[in-house]
Amino acid sequence: MTIAPPELALSTRPRRSPIPRWVRKWSIPILVIALWELISRIGLVDEVLLPPPSKIVGTIGELLQDGSLQQGILVSFLRAVTGLAIGTVFGVALAVVAGLWRTGEDTFDPIVQLLRPLPATALMPLVVLAMGMDEAPKIFLVSYASFFPVYLNVFQGIRDVDNRLVESAAVFGLRRSELIRQVILPSAMSSFFVGFRFSVSISWVVLVVAEQLNAQSGVGYLMMDAQRYFRADIIFVGLIVYALFGLGSDMLVRLVERRVLRWRNAFAGA
């Protein structure tokens, strides 16, 4: 009796769909925006609370014309990038030390695990007392929040490296520094990008909160100022800017990830 080989549950090649991929990705958001415009126009919801998308587009034009939106975006962008860079550098550095050496793990990991459950917003009063109300507390909160995803994923990525791979590299005569540089760290790169994408998203979320902290500039300041004058359209502009920041930075990280890890033959979905 001949036993037929089992069929593969998932093909390694994506199936072609008659509907273009960009249509599938953007049809739902476009439908939601159209529904939003309709609801606002027929008066189901007060325009003061939920202005239609067409009015928000007009507000974007006004803010661009007087220059306040560009200035706010630049300030917020610099805060987010600075905080993210600091958090990522410290996260990677401590994760590498803790992941490669038991002494490093015993030294740093307990304090990281102790601080990890504390949300950045809970630290805000203490940070304000220690750093005042200038830029430092905002950047610190973004750095603090973006540190943990990078640390956890890089640490786990290093510890997930197959020990047989490490032993094989040692058999071929690689020194410890070469083993770290050529085997362990490249194997952990995928985990780094997973953590970094989380950090990017979290940095924007925390920035939204941090910029409510007596900011005198930035997108958060525009939103706080709009709240005083019941300008929900400007508040929506700020939310859209934050969302676009998050989406754009995530796309950029994924692009860099694909280029850096192009040697990886990963499953791309069925």
Side-chain angles (χ1 to χ4, degrees), residues 106-127:
D106 296 340
T107 305
F108 298 116
D109 197 62
I111 188 67
V112 171
Q113 300 305 330
L114 193 65
L115 293 174
R116 187 166 63 89
L118 298 177
T121 51
L123 297 175
M124 192 177 291
L126 185 62
V127 172

Side-chain angles (χ1 to χ4, degrees), residues 11-24:
S11 170
T12 55
R13 291 184 178 179
R15 288 181 298 180
R16 289 187 177 181
S17 169
I19 303 173
R21 193 178 180 192
W22 68 270
V23 174
R24 284 183 280 140

Side-chain angles (χ1 to χ4, degrees), residues 144-184:
Y144 175 84
S146 57
F147 166 85
F148 295 101
V150 170
Y151 172 86
L152 293 172
N153 281 277
V154 172
F155 175 83
Q156 197 58 47
I158 291 173
R159 290 300 172 89
D160 282 345
V161 175
D162 194 331
N163 200 40
R164 290 171 296 184
L165 188 63
V166 175
E167 291 173 353
S168 300
V171 169
F172 281 103
L174 265 67
R175 292 177 296 179
R176 186 172 179 81
S177 59
E178 294 172 327
L179 180 68
I180 292 172
R181 196 174 63 251
Q182 297 178 17
V183 177
I184 296 178

Side-chain angles (χ1 to χ4, degrees), residues 4 9 22 36 38 53 70 73 118 123 137 139 148 165 168 182 187 194 232 238 247 253:
W22 68 270
W36 176 4
L38 179 65
Q70 298 95 309
I73 288 175
L118 298 177
L123 297 175
I139 293 174
F148 295 101
L165 188 63
S168 300
Q182 297 178 17
S187 299
V194 172
L247 178 65
V253 173

Side-chain angles (χ1 to χ4, degrees), residues 16-241:
R16 289 187 177 181
S17 169
I19 303 173
R21 193 178 180 192
W22 68 270
V23 174
R24 284 183 280 140
K25 290 177 72 173
W26 291 104
S27 56
I28 298 297
I30 290 172
L31 186 63
V32 169
I33 292 173
L35 190 62
W36 176 4
E37 179 79 22
L38 179 65
I39 288 174
S40 297
R41 289 294 178 190
I42 63 177
L44 282 180
V45 181
D46 191 347
E47 279 196 18
V48 175
L49 297 176
L50 187 66
S54 55
K55 184 178 180 181
I56 295 172
V57 171
T59 303
I60 292 174
E62 293 172 11
L63 294 175
L64 287 173
Q65 198 167 10
D66 65 21
S68 55
L69 185 58
Q70 298 95 309
Q71 184 185 10
I73 288 175
L74 179 61
V75 171
S76 295
F77 179 77
L78 291 176
R79 284 174 184 151
V81 169
T82 305
L84 178 65
I86 294 172
T88 302
V89 168
F90 276 95
V92 170
L94 289 189
V96 169
V97 173
L100 291 177
W101 295 283
R102 291 284 181 87
T103 306
E105 181 183 3
D106 296 340
T107 305
F108 298 116
D109 197 62
I111 188 67
V112 171
Q113 300 305 330
L114 193 65
L115 293 174
R116 187 166 63 89
L118 298 177
T121 51
L123 297 175
M124 192 177 291
L126 185 62
V127 172
V128 170
L129 282 176
M131 298 183 176
M133 303 291 285
D134 293 331
E135 291 298 298
K138 301 174 184 63
I139 293 174
F140 174 82
L141 290 173
V142 175
S143 305
Y144 175 84
S146 57
F147 166 85
F148 295 101
V150 170
Y151 172 86
L152 293 172
N153 281 277
V154 172
F155 175 83
Q156 197 58 47
I158 291 173
R159 290 300 172 89
D160 282 345
V161 175
D162 194 331
N163 200 40
R164 290 171 296 184
L165 188 63
V166 175
E167 291 173 353
S168 300
V171 169
F172 281 103
L174 265 67
R175 292 177 296 179
R176 186 172 179 81
S177 59
E178 294 172 327
L179 180 68
I180 292 172
R181 196 174 63 251
Q182 297 178 17
V183 177
I184 296 178
L185 294 184
S187 299
M189 282 299 290
S190 180
S191 298
F192 163 75
F193 279 108
V194 172
F196 189 58
R197 286 179 63 191
F198 274 116
S199 292
V200 169
S201 302
I202 289 174
S203 68
W204 289 115
V205 173
V206 173
L207 184 67
V208 174
V209 179
E211 288 197 328
Q212 316 298 318
L213 194 64
N214 195 33
Q216 298 299 318
S217 59
V219 177
Y221 169 73
L222 283 178
M223 295 171 69
M224 290 294 291
D225 196 45
Q227 185 187 5
R228 297 192 196 102
Y229 300 101
F230 299 97
R231 291 291 304 274
D233 52 336
I234 297 181
I235 296 175
F236 272 100
V237 171
L239 295 175
I240 291 170
V241 169

